[in-house]
Amino acid sequence: MPMDLPLVTVSRRGAERVRGGHVWIYRSDVVTADGVPPGSAVLVKQQGSKALLGTAFYSTASQIAVRMLSREALENIGNVLRQRVRAAVEYRKRLVRDTNAYRVIFSESDSLPGLIVDCYNDLLSMQVLNQAMDSETSRTAILSELQEILKPKAIIERSDARVRKLEQLPEKQSGLVAGEQTRTEFQMNGVRFIYDALSGQKTGAFLDQRENYAAAEQYARGEALDVFCYQGGFALHLARCCERVTGVDSSLSALEAAEANSKLNGREIEWIEANAFDLLRDYSDSGRQYDSIVLDPPAFAKTREKRDTALRGYKELNLRALKMLRPGGVLMTCSCSFHVSGNDLLEALGSAAGDAGRPVRVLELRGQAKDHPQVLGIPETAYLKCIISIVR
Ligand code: SAH
């Protein structure tokens, strides 16, 4: 028995949450955690009960105080983390196709809370998001295992200053933690992309959309508009099946990367730097028409309170897009807001369809790619929604 792990006791509500399959216990449900050092592995019990709820990571800073690792008493955390890294890699080997860029580790979805690792061809990009994952034990176990099984040329850590501050971790610059290379080229569905680990948003590309890119290519045709295009994920795929493609984003640096990607693929795509809301309003008011439109905005609802405002935003975008689609046109509409559900997005689209007076047929309801697994019992692991539809 790992007698040396400190004990945290939690309320009945916290314990029930865990028994129901979730892996988080909020600080308000922690009853005692006296003297537990930041980022410790701990044993968890319900207050007044002898039975063990399991082993967890503890944070002294986050509102999510306890992140369960197991329902058992774990003996050697380093070994457990290594096994989980191996299991995560095996899972991807079984399910990821047509790409050398994928998410290797997706935090709670891989029972590695607070760790995200993305593979871009021969490079790995890593994010460490809580105290316990930042501990020496965790980092050593994770890094050595990743190096051993994936043999990357380099590993780059992307440090998120906001998260580190919230977790009361010391400031840290993004940079190499192994090897020397920070640039490479990768491919998804046969489309080529340049990867520069030390620039770009998140950890680089939006790998969660990879399977939706391939789906878009099945239906899109004619003149296409990719709104919120970032570095061209959808647009580059659309360029293989459409006659003309325009990508819109408010970030000039994203568009510069998009242009470099289109050159790499030998494609001509028009990139426009604009606020998508303004551009869609101008274009739809002036009667522009398209055969295919992609809407992939940033998360509008970062908190539950923002949900209603977010829904108005989604409706507005979808209404404008529907008005611009020619009969038989294809709309791919996405939301990556956890607080906006798949049904919410369908309703926003339905309400836009009503206002536009355009009957909409739903072709596919899609989510995030399989390397970003959704785990039942942990609703937060499902966040991306993508509806493909055809308007009459
Ligand atoms: N579709 C992209 C990912 C989009 S991420 C892909 O598959 O790779 C969201 C993008 O929206 C970011 O690139 C961001 O720069 C852009 N963005 C955010 N607000 C915007 C606005 N008001 N108008 C235009 N683009 C915006």
Side-chain angles (χ1 to χ4, degrees):
M1 277 295 287
M3 298 302 290
D4 50 340
L5 292 189
L7 179 70
V8 168
T9 62
V10 301
S11 68
R12 184 197 174 100
R13 190 173 63 173
E16 272 167 6
R17 198 171 158 79
V18 169
R19 288 193 198 100
H22 212 296
V23 288
W24 294 350
I25 300 175
Y26 292 101
R27 177 139 339 264
S28 53
D29 287 319
V30 170
V31 181
T32 58
D34 301 332
V36 176
S40 314
V42 294
L43 296 177
V44 186
K45 291 184 178 173
Q46 182 179 333
Q47 184 190 27
S49 156
K50 288 212 175 73
L52 186 74
L53 274 172
T55 310
F57 276 167
Y58 183 73
S59 167
T60 52
S62 169
Q63 279 313 304
I64 305 169
V66 173
R67 291 169 195 262
M68 300 302 297
L69 289 170
S70 168
R71 304 278 192 99
E72 325 251 290
L74 298 179
E75 299 260 335
N76 181 327
I77 301 294
N79 279 349
V80 171
L81 298 182
R82 284 171 184 277
Q83 275 164 17
R84 291 188 179 172
V85 170
R86 281 200 295 276
V89 171
E90 283 307 313
Y91 175 88
R92 272 68 183 179
K93 275 196 189 143
R94 185 171 158 196
L95 292 162
V96 173
R97 296 279 172 276
D98 306 319
T99 183
N100 58 8
Y102 55 94
R103 179 150 291 184
V104 186
I105 293 170
F106 185 32
S107 203
E108 276 81 358
S109 292
D110 288 296
S111 302
L112 288 163
L115 180 67
I116 290 180
V117 179
D118 290 330
C119 170
Y120 291 95
N121 186 9
D122 42 11
L123 303 186
L124 295 181
S125 163
M126 167 174 109
Q127 280 181 285
V128 173
L129 303 167
N130 63 39
Q131 292 174 348
M133 213 35 110
D134 201 49
S135 72
E136 206 47 47
T137 314
S138 300
R139 295 180 74 94
T140 309
I142 301 284
L143 283 171
S144 63
E145 195 64 30
L146 285 171
Q147 280 174 301
E148 198 179 312
I149 47 180
L150 291 171
K151 303 189 172 48
K153 284 210 181 118
I155 303 179
I156 297 99
E157 179 168 358
R158 290 187 52 102
S159 153
D160 182 329
R162 194 188 57 90
V163 172
R164 289 190 72 87
K165 201 166 169 199
L166 283 176
E167 282 281 306
Q168 292 169 3
L169 290 167
E171 272 180 44
K172 187 170 193 176
Q173 292 292 310
S174 294
L176 284 158
V177 288
E180 286 172 5
Q181 188 180 326
T182 60
R183 281 173 68 90
T184 193
E185 191 192 306
F186 65 91
Q187 64 86 17
M188 295 190 252
N189 311 308
V191 174
R192 295 161 70 190
F193 293 84
I194 295 162
Y195 177 61
D196 183 347
L198 296 177
S199 71
Q201 304 169 3
K202 298 208 330 183
T203 63
F206 288 85
L207 302 172
D208 50 1
Q209 288 282 26
R210 185 183 55 252
E211 294 170 2
N212 297 331
Y213 297 153
E217 208 180 320
Q218 287 188 358
Y219 302 108
R221 58 193 183 122
E223 275 182 79
L225 183 65
D226 176 7
V227 188
F228 305 97
C229 65
Y230 185 54
Q231 300 183 353
F234 278 104
L236 290 156
H237 283 78
L238 297 178
R240 298 200 295 192
C241 59
C242 296
E243 281 145 35
R244 246 210 329 248
V245 181
T246 302
V248 180
D249 203 282
S250 57
S251 156
L252 183 61
S253 59
L255 294 177
E256 284 166 355
E259 172 62 13
N261 286 333
S262 51
K263 285 218 177 82
L264 184 66
N265 288 276
R267 301 283 177 190
E268 284 268 339
I269 297 174
E270 177 192 27
W271 307 107
I272 302 179
E273 182 191 355
N275 178 323
F277 284 92
D278 296 344
L279 178 124
L280 288 179
R281 195 188 49 238
D282 293 349
Y283 277 23
S284 67
D285 285 351
S286 63
R288 287 230 194 188
Q289 299 263 282
Y290 290 90
D291 302 290
S292 306
I293 299 180
V294 174
L295 299 174
D296 184 20
F300 289 152
K302 292 231 160 81
T303 58
R304 196 184 305 272
E305 293 68 44
K306 296 259 168 66
R307 184 173 159 272
D308 288 345
T309 321
L311 286 175
R312 281 196 292 278
Y314 288 116
K315 179 172 171 189
E316 160 78 9
L317 291 175
N318 283 285
L319 177 60
R320 295 288 174 188
L322 288 174
K323 284 186 176 164
M324 286 197 289
L325 280 168
R326 297 194 177 100
V330 176
L331 176 64
M332 302 248 327
T333 190
C334 309
S335 162
C336 55
S337 302
F338 164 66
H339 297 288
V340 169
S341 71
N343 274 339
D344 291 340
L345 186 64
L346 266 177
E347 270 176 35
L349 176 60
S351 155
D355 287 8
R358 305 288 302 272
V360 171
R361 292 167 166 166
V362 175
L363 297 179
E364 290 195 36
L365 300 177
R366 306 181 55 91
Q368 59 224 38
K370 289 186 271 295
D371 46 331
H372 296 62
Q374 166 183 355
V375 179
L376 294 182
I378 317 177
E380 293 80 0
T381 56
Y383 61 97
L384 182 63
K385 279 77 58 177
C386 170
I387 307 171
I388 310 182
S389 60
I390 285 196
V391 288
R392 278 201 272 166

